C-alpha cells in the first residue's frame, strides 16, 4: 500500500544487504508519504507490525477496503475528505517536482528474487516514527555494523569478539 501511495520503491537509496536487514529488525521503515490518507496510514502501520499476530488478515483487509469503498460514496465521509485533501497535496507536489528531485536507486539496491539466509537476527521491533523521512531507530549505544558482523560470524559458526 505504501509503495503504491508514495510511488517510491522502499529502501531504494540503501544497499540491500545484512546491514539493512538488521536496521529493519530494529524498526527502520520507509517513510509514509504525506499524500496518504490518515486512515490508510493507520492501516499501513498495522500491516508493518513487528509481530505477525498483530497484523490484519487478508479477510480483515478486504472488509476494511469494502467499508472504505462504501463510505467513499458519501462526499461528507471521513475517507472522502482525507482523499480530497491528499489529492490537493499530490497536485502541489507534482507542480513543484523537477527531474533533479527524483531519487536515484542505490547501486546495491537489488530488486530481484533471491534466497536470503539470516540467523541470529535481533528481535523485530516497530518503528517509533513512520511519518518522517526514513527512520533509523537504532539507539546510539547500539552499533549496527557490529550487530551485522555478529550475524555473519554466527552464520559461519564463529564466535563474536565484540
Amino acid at each position: 500500500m505504501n509503495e503504491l501511495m508514495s510511488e517510491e520503491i522502499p529502501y531504494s537509496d540503501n544497499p540491500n544487504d545484512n546491514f539493512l536487514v538488521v536496521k529493519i529488525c530494529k524498526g527502520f521503515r520507509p517513510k509514509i508519504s504525506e499524500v496518504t490518507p490518515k486512515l490508510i496510514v493507520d492501516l499501513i502501520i498495522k500491516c508493518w507490525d513487528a509481530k505477525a499476530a498483530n497484523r490484519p488478515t487478508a479477510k480483515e483487509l478486504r472488509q476494511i477496503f469494502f467499508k472504505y469503498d462504501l463510505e467513499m460514496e458519501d462526499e461528507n465521509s471521513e475517507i472522502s475528505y482525507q482523499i480530497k485533501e491528499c489529492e490537493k497535496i499530490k497536485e502541489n507536489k507534482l507542480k513543484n517536482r523537477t527531474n533533479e528531485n527524483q531519487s536515484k536507486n542505490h547501486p546495491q539496491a537489488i530488486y530481484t528474487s533471491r534466497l536470503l539466509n539470516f540467523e541470529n537476527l535481533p528481535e523485530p521491533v516497530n518503528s517509533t516514527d513512520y511519518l518522517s523521512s526514513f527512520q533509523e531507530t537504532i539507539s546510539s549505544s547500539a552499533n549496527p555494523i557490529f550487530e551485522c558482523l555478529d550475524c555473519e560470524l554466527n552464520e559461519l559458526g564463529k564466535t563474536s569478539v565484540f
Side-chain angles (χ1 to χ4, degrees), residues 3-4 15 28 31 33 43 51 54 61 63 75 77 99 104 131 139 142 145-146 148 153:
E3 187 173 349
L4 290 173
F28 185 66
K31 74 174 186 167
S33 172
L43 196 53
K51 294 184 188 250
N54 295 340
L61 288 172
Q63 291 170 340
E75 290 183 23
S77 70
N99 287 338
K104 301 262 185 205
L131 299 179
S139 69
I145 295 172
F146 290 155
C148 191
L153 289 171

PDB file of all heavy atoms in Angstrom, residues 3-4 15 28 31 33 43 51 54 61 63 75 77 99 104 131 139 142 145-146 148 153:
ATOM      1  N   GLU A   3       3.972   1.632  -1.046  1.00  0.00           N
ATOM      2  CA  GLU A   3       4.680   1.804  -2.313  1.00  0.00           C
ATOM      3  C   GLU A   3       3.746   2.393  -3.367  1.00  0.00           C
ATOM      4  O   GLU A   3       4.146   3.281  -4.138  1.00  0.00           O
ATOM      5  CB  GLU A   3       5.252   0.475  -2.780  1.00  0.00           C
ATOM      6  CG  GLU A   3       6.138   0.591  -3.994  1.00  0.00           C
ATOM      7  CD  GLU A   3       6.825  -0.712  -4.351  1.00  0.00           C
ATOM      8  OE1 GLU A   3       6.800  -1.667  -3.555  1.00  0.00           O
ATOM      9  OE2 GLU A   3       7.393  -0.781  -5.452  1.00  0.00           O
ATOM     10  N   LEU A   4       2.507   1.943  -3.395  1.00  0.00           N
ATOM     11  CA  LEU A   4       1.547   2.479  -4.360  1.00  0.00           C
ATOM     12  C   LEU A   4       1.215   3.936  -4.059  1.00  0.00           C
ATOM     13  O   LEU A   4       1.125   4.756  -4.966  1.00  0.00           O
ATOM     14  CB  LEU A   4       0.261   1.648  -4.357  1.00  0.00           C
ATOM     15  CG  LEU A   4       0.379   0.249  -4.937  1.00  0.00           C
ATOM     16  CD1 LEU A   4      -0.908  -0.523  -4.715  1.00  0.00           C
ATOM     17  CD2 LEU A   4       0.719   0.299  -6.414  1.00  0.00           C
ATOM     18  N   PRO A  15      21.789   0.128   0.319  1.00  0.00           N
ATOM     19  CA  PRO A  15      22.199  -1.185  -0.182  1.00  0.00           C
ATOM     20  C   PRO A  15      21.339  -2.260   0.471  1.00  0.00           C
ATOM     21  O   PRO A  15      21.033  -2.175   1.654  1.00  0.00           O
ATOM     22  CB  PRO A  15      23.660  -1.303   0.247  1.00  0.00           C
ATOM     23  CG  PRO A  15      23.901  -0.225   1.238  1.00  0.00           C
ATOM     24  CD  PRO A  15      22.821   0.783   1.110  1.00  0.00           C
ATOM     25  N   PHE A  28      13.550   0.195  11.440  1.00  0.00           N
ATOM     26  CA  PHE A  28      13.762   1.050  10.271  1.00  0.00           C
ATOM     27  C   PHE A  28      12.669   0.774   9.242  1.00  0.00           C
ATOM     28  O   PHE A  28      12.474  -0.377   8.849  1.00  0.00           O
ATOM     29  CB  PHE A  28      15.147   0.722   9.704  1.00  0.00           C
ATOM     30  CG  PHE A  28      15.626   1.575   8.567  1.00  0.00           C
ATOM     31  CD1 PHE A  28      15.895   2.912   8.742  1.00  0.00           C
ATOM     32  CD2 PHE A  28      15.845   1.013   7.320  1.00  0.00           C
ATOM     33  CE1 PHE A  28      16.373   3.692   7.700  1.00  0.00           C
ATOM     34  CE2 PHE A  28      16.316   1.775   6.261  1.00  0.00           C
ATOM     35  CZ  PHE A  28      16.588   3.125   6.461  1.00  0.00           C
ATOM     36  N   LYS A  31       9.528   5.896   4.731  1.00  0.00           N
ATOM     37  CA  LYS A  31       8.636   6.987   5.128  1.00  0.00           C
ATOM     38  C   LYS A  31       7.269   6.744   4.508  1.00  0.00           C
ATOM     39  O   LYS A  31       7.144   6.087   3.479  1.00  0.00           O
ATOM     40  CB  LYS A  31       9.196   8.335   4.712  1.00  0.00           C
ATOM     41  CG  LYS A  31       9.086   8.617   3.223  1.00  0.00           C
ATOM     42  CD  LYS A  31       9.508  10.018   2.885  1.00  0.00           C
ATOM     43  CE  LYS A  31       9.238  10.274   1.412  1.00  0.00           C
ATOM     44  NZ  LYS A  31       9.318  11.644   1.050  1.00  0.00           N
ATOM     45  N   SER A  33       4.277   8.644   2.796  1.00  0.00           N
ATOM     46  CA  SER A  33       4.084   9.898   2.083  1.00  0.00           C
ATOM     47  C   SER A  33       2.938  10.708   2.672  1.00  0.00           C
ATOM     48  O   SER A  33       1.930  10.154   3.114  1.00  0.00           O
ATOM     49  CB  SER A  33       3.801   9.593   0.608  1.00  0.00           C
ATOM     50  OG  SER A  33       3.436  10.766  -0.072  1.00  0.00           O
ATOM     51  N   LEU A  43      -3.614   1.893   8.595  1.00  0.00           N
ATOM     52  CA  LEU A  43      -3.653   0.515   8.103  1.00  0.00           C
ATOM     53  C   LEU A  43      -2.255   0.022   7.714  1.00  0.00           C
ATOM     54  O   LEU A  43      -1.883  -1.116   8.021  1.00  0.00           O
ATOM     55  CB  LEU A  43      -4.617   0.436   6.919  1.00  0.00           C
ATOM     56  CG  LEU A  43      -5.088  -0.932   6.485  1.00  0.00           C
ATOM     57  CD1 LEU A  43      -5.673  -1.719   7.640  1.00  0.00           C
ATOM     58  CD2 LEU A  43      -6.115  -0.787   5.371  1.00  0.00           C
ATOM     59  N   LYS A  51       5.111  -7.895  15.087  1.00  0.00           N
ATOM     60  CA  LYS A  51       4.525  -9.186  15.444  1.00  0.00           C
ATOM     61  C   LYS A  51       3.444  -9.542  14.431  1.00  0.00           C
ATOM     62  O   LYS A  51       2.445  -8.840  14.308  1.00  0.00           O
ATOM     63  CB  LYS A  51       3.928  -9.122  16.846  1.00  0.00           C
ATOM     64  CG  LYS A  51       4.970  -8.920  17.923  1.00  0.00           C
ATOM     65  CD  LYS A  51       4.321  -8.956  19.292  1.00  0.00           C
ATOM     66  CE  LYS A  51       5.330  -8.563  20.324  1.00  0.00           C
ATOM     67  NZ  LYS A  51       5.760  -9.590  21.165  1.00  0.00           N
ATOM     68  N   ASN A  54      -0.281  -9.420  15.203  1.00  0.00           N
ATOM     69  CA  ASN A  54      -0.950  -8.119  15.326  1.00  0.00           C
ATOM     70  C   ASN A  54      -1.368  -7.536  13.978  1.00  0.00           C
ATOM     71  O   ASN A  54      -2.073  -6.531  13.931  1.00  0.00           O
ATOM     72  CB  ASN A  54      -0.042  -7.112  16.033  1.00  0.00           C
ATOM     73  CG  ASN A  54       0.230  -7.493  17.471  1.00  0.00           C
ATOM     74  OD1 ASN A  54      -0.500  -8.274  18.067  1.00  0.00           O
ATOM     75  ND2 ASN A  54       1.297  -6.952  18.019  1.00  0.00           N
ATOM     76  N   LEU A  61      -8.485  -7.096   5.868  1.00  0.00           N
ATOM     77  CA  LEU A  61      -8.159  -6.024   4.916  1.00  0.00           C
ATOM     78  C   LEU A  61      -9.266  -5.868   3.878  1.00  0.00           C
ATOM     79  O   LEU A  61      -9.669  -4.750   3.541  1.00  0.00           O
ATOM     80  CB  LEU A  61      -6.827  -6.307   4.219  1.00  0.00           C
ATOM     81  CG  LEU A  61      -5.582  -6.145   5.077  1.00  0.00           C
ATOM     82  CD1 LEU A  61      -4.362  -6.643   4.316  1.00  0.00           C
ATOM     83  CD2 LEU A  61      -5.398  -4.699   5.502  1.00  0.00           C
ATOM     84  N   GLN A  63     -12.415  -6.559   4.243  1.00  0.00           N
ATOM     85  CA  GLN A  63     -13.558  -5.928   4.902  1.00  0.00           C
ATOM     86  C   GLN A  63     -13.340  -4.421   5.085  1.00  0.00           C
ATOM     87  O   GLN A  63     -14.252  -3.623   4.868  1.00  0.00           O
ATOM     88  CB  GLN A  63     -13.827  -6.586   6.256  1.00  0.00           C
ATOM     89  CG  GLN A  63     -14.351  -8.001   6.140  1.00  0.00           C
ATOM     90  CD  GLN A  63     -14.391  -8.734   7.477  1.00  0.00           C
ATOM     91  OE1 GLN A  63     -13.717  -8.357   8.435  1.00  0.00           O
ATOM     92  NE2 GLN A  63     -15.173  -9.803   7.530  1.00  0.00           N
ATOM     93  N   GLU A  75     -19.876  11.954   0.005  1.00  0.00           N
ATOM     94  CA  GLU A  75     -18.869  13.003  -0.130  1.00  0.00           C
ATOM     95  C   GLU A  75     -18.473  13.625   1.205  1.00  0.00           C
ATOM     96  O   GLU A  75     -17.431  14.267   1.304  1.00  0.00           O
ATOM     97  CB  GLU A  75     -19.369  14.092  -1.087  1.00  0.00           C
ATOM     98  CG  GLU A  75     -19.448  13.640  -2.518  1.00  0.00           C
ATOM     99  CD  GLU A  75     -19.883  14.763  -3.445  1.00  0.00           C
ATOM    100  OE1 GLU A  75     -19.715  15.944  -3.100  1.00  0.00           O
ATOM    101  OE2 GLU A  75     -20.386  14.434  -4.525  1.00  0.00           O
ATOM    102  N   SER A  77     -18.026  11.848   4.019  1.00  0.00           N
ATOM    103  CA  SER A  77     -17.396  10.852   4.894  1.00  0.00           C
ATOM    104  C   SER A  77     -15.941  11.228   5.158  1.00  0.00           C
ATOM    105  O   SER A  77     -15.319  11.992   4.411  1.00  0.00           O
ATOM    106  CB  SER A  77     -17.463   9.460   4.263  1.00  0.00           C
ATOM    107  OG  SER A  77     -16.606   9.381   3.144  1.00  0.00           O
ATOM    108  N   ASN A  99      13.022  17.043 -12.370  1.00  0.00           N
ATOM    109  CA  ASN A  99      13.761  15.799 -12.597  1.00  0.00           C
ATOM    110  C   ASN A  99      14.874  15.607 -11.573  1.00  0.00           C
ATOM    111  O   ASN A  99      15.225  14.492 -11.239  1.00  0.00           O
ATOM    112  CB  ASN A  99      14.339  15.758 -14.013  1.00  0.00           C
ATOM    113  CG  ASN A  99      13.258  15.535 -15.047  1.00  0.00           C
ATOM    114  OD1 ASN A  99      12.193  15.018 -14.736  1.00  0.00           O
ATOM    115  ND2 ASN A  99      13.532  15.939 -16.277  1.00  0.00           N
ATOM    116  N   LYS A 104      17.562   8.635  -6.874  1.00  0.00           N
ATOM    117  CA  LYS A 104      18.298   7.618  -7.619  1.00  0.00           C
ATOM    118  C   LYS A 104      18.384   6.369  -6.753  1.00  0.00           C
ATOM    119  O   LYS A 104      18.520   6.456  -5.548  1.00  0.00           O
ATOM    120  CB  LYS A 104      19.709   8.120  -7.931  1.00  0.00           C
ATOM    121  CG  LYS A 104      19.751   9.394  -8.740  1.00  0.00           C
ATOM    122  CD  LYS A 104      19.967   9.075 -10.171  1.00  0.00           C
ATOM    123  CE  LYS A 104      20.137  10.389 -10.932  1.00  0.00           C
ATOM    124  NZ  LYS A 104      19.815  10.302 -12.275  1.00  0.00           N
ATOM    125  N   LEU A 131       6.259   8.820   9.914  1.00  0.00           N
ATOM    126  CA  LEU A 131       5.909   9.902   9.009  1.00  0.00           C
ATOM    127  C   LEU A 131       7.080  10.765   8.599  1.00  0.00           C
ATOM    128  O   LEU A 131       6.966  11.573   7.700  1.00  0.00           O
ATOM    129  CB  LEU A 131       4.812  10.771   9.637  1.00  0.00           C
ATOM    130  CG  LEU A 131       3.525   9.985   9.920  1.00  0.00           C
ATOM    131  CD1 LEU A 131       2.504  10.888  10.565  1.00  0.00           C
ATOM    132  CD2 LEU A 131       2.969   9.384   8.653  1.00  0.00           C
ATOM    133  N   SER A 139      19.469   2.714  18.714  1.00  0.00           N
ATOM    134  CA  SER A 139      19.938   3.622  19.757  1.00  0.00           C
ATOM    135  C   SER A 139      21.415   3.932  19.570  1.00  0.00           C
ATOM    136  O   SER A 139      22.152   3.203  18.934  1.00  0.00           O
ATOM    137  CB  SER A 139      19.705   2.991  21.132  1.00  0.00           C
ATOM    138  OG  SER A 139      20.567   1.884  21.298  1.00  0.00           O
ATOM    139  N   ALA A 142      23.899   1.182  20.465  1.00  0.00           N
ATOM    140  CA  ALA A 142      23.997   0.003  19.611  1.00  0.00           C
ATOM    141  C   ALA A 142      24.739   0.358  18.336  1.00  0.00           C
ATOM    142  O   ALA A 142      24.598   1.453  17.821  1.00  0.00           O
ATOM    143  CB  ALA A 142      22.610  -0.525  19.269  1.00  0.00           C
ATOM    144  N   ILE A 145      26.787  -2.001  12.652  1.00  0.00           N
ATOM    145  CA  ILE A 145      27.871  -2.690  11.946  1.00  0.00           C
ATOM    146  C   ILE A 145      28.307  -3.904  12.755  1.00  0.00           C
ATOM    147  O   ILE A 145      28.435  -5.005  12.232  1.00  0.00           O
ATOM    148  CB  ILE A 145      29.058  -1.736  11.688  1.00  0.00           C
ATOM    149  CG1 ILE A 145      28.611  -0.633  10.730  1.00  0.00           C
ATOM    150  CG2 ILE A 145      30.263  -2.493  11.154  1.00  0.00           C
ATOM    151  CD1 ILE A 145      29.613   0.469  10.541  1.00  0.00           C
ATOM    152  N   PHE A 146      28.484  -3.718  14.071  1.00  0.00           N
ATOM    153  CA  PHE A 146      28.879  -4.845  14.897  1.00  0.00           C
ATOM    154  C   PHE A 146      27.787  -5.899  14.940  1.00  0.00           C
ATOM    155  O   PHE A 146      28.059  -7.083  14.881  1.00  0.00           O
ATOM    156  CB  PHE A 146      29.214  -4.387  16.321  1.00  0.00           C
ATOM    157  CG  PHE A 146      30.481  -3.583  16.412  1.00  0.00           C
ATOM    158  CD1 PHE A 146      30.664  -2.681  17.441  1.00  0.00           C
ATOM    159  CD2 PHE A 146      31.499  -3.718  15.480  1.00  0.00           C
ATOM    160  CE1 PHE A 146      31.819  -1.936  17.536  1.00  0.00           C
ATOM    161  CE2 PHE A 146      32.667  -2.967  15.565  1.00  0.00           C
ATOM    162  CZ  PHE A 146      32.826  -2.080  16.601  1.00  0.00           C
ATOM    163  N   CYS A 148      25.606  -6.586  12.641  1.00  0.00           N
ATOM    164  CA  CYS A 148      25.576  -7.283  11.363  1.00  0.00           C
ATOM    165  C   CYS A 148      26.760  -8.250  11.278  1.00  0.00           C
ATOM    166  O   CYS A 148      26.624  -9.362  10.807  1.00  0.00           O
ATOM    167  CB  CYS A 148      25.603  -6.279  10.215  1.00  0.00           C
ATOM    168  SG  CYS A 148      25.248  -7.055   8.645  1.00  0.00           S
ATOM    169  N   LEU A 153      29.187 -13.648  11.479  1.00  0.00           N
ATOM    170  CA  LEU A 153      30.063 -14.578  12.178  1.00  0.00           C
ATOM    171  C   LEU A 153      29.282 -15.787  12.694  1.00  0.00           C
ATOM    172  O   LEU A 153      29.749 -16.917  12.602  1.00  0.00           O
ATOM    173  CB  LEU A 153      30.767 -13.871  13.343  1.00  0.00           C
ATOM    174  CG  LEU A 153      31.840 -12.855  12.935  1.00  0.00           C
ATOM    175  CD1 LEU A 153      32.306 -12.074  14.157  1.00  0.00           C
ATOM    176  CD2 LEU A 153      33.015 -13.549  12.266  1.00  0.00           C
TER     177      LEU A 153
END
